[in-house]
Amino acid sequence: MLIRNFLKKNRVYYLTSQIPKGKVSTYGHLAKAMRKPNVTRTIGKILNINPNPVIIPCHRVVYADGEIGGYCNGINEKIKLLSTEGIIIVNRKITNFKDILFTDFK
DNA sequence: GCCATGGCTAGTA
DNA sequence: GCCATGGCTAGTA
């Protein structure tokens, strides 16, 4: 049971690490990539306890409608990180969301 | 019982 | 904006 959770968490982190700089993905798309479309909220929890927010780019995971969602170090930090990667955010929403959406998980 | 979601809908402009 | 879901976990017994 413990091993199973360990593997699941690492799968989430591995998939998240595939999102390239300048792009974003959503909790829902990560859930689909895990073949478990209903675990979206759990994905959020797992990213929240992310042991290494720099290596694992959990700031590139946002809501399905392009709103930026939460971040373990506060959403201002998330906005800052995304901005430095060239992503434009106007009152918590990504302007060209559809153009920079990454879904091609391996 | 909590929640870093998502989808649907009412109601505005 | 509202609420149905579903997986997790603290805390009880």
Side-chain angles (χ1 to χ4, degrees):
Chain A
M1 202 58 77
L2 224 52
I3 288 280
R4 194 182 159 75
N5 287 336
F6 177 80
L7 292 175
K8 193 201 284 180
K9 281 176 190 172
N10 280 281
R11 177 87 177 135
V12 172
Y13 297 144
Y14 172 65
L15 289 171
T16 302
S17 73
Q18 294 177 22
I19 307 170
K21 195 186 213 182
K23 298 223 166 195
V24 296
S25 196
T26 71
Y27 302 96
H29 279 104
L30 278 174
K32 262 179 230 155
M34 308 263 304
R35 308 249 167 209
K36 287 233 170 202
N38 295 324
V39 299
T40 50
R41 306 186 85 137
T42 308
I43 302 263
K45 264 188 197 171
I46 290 171
L47 292 179
N48 191 23
I49 58 170
N50 179 353
N52 199 330
V54 180
I55 305 293
I56 300 158
C58 55
H59 60 281
R60 295 181 191 147
V61 183
V62 301
Y63 286 172
D65 62 355
E67 213 172 302
I68 59 164
Y71 192 62
C72 54
N73 294 331
I75 58 168
N76 286 335
E77 181 68 13
K78 190 169 185 176
I79 291 171
K80 198 163 83 181
L81 284 168
L82 289 173
S83 296
T84 62
E85 298 183 353
I87 291 168
I88 297 156
I89 297 154
V90 178
N91 55 39
R92 298 190 178 183
K93 244 180 155 174
I94 297 168
T95 53
N96 57 336
F97 177 55
K98 292 200 173 83
D99 301 329
I100 61 166
L101 179 61
F102 174 85
T103 59
D104 188 25
F105 293 105
K106 300 284 187 308

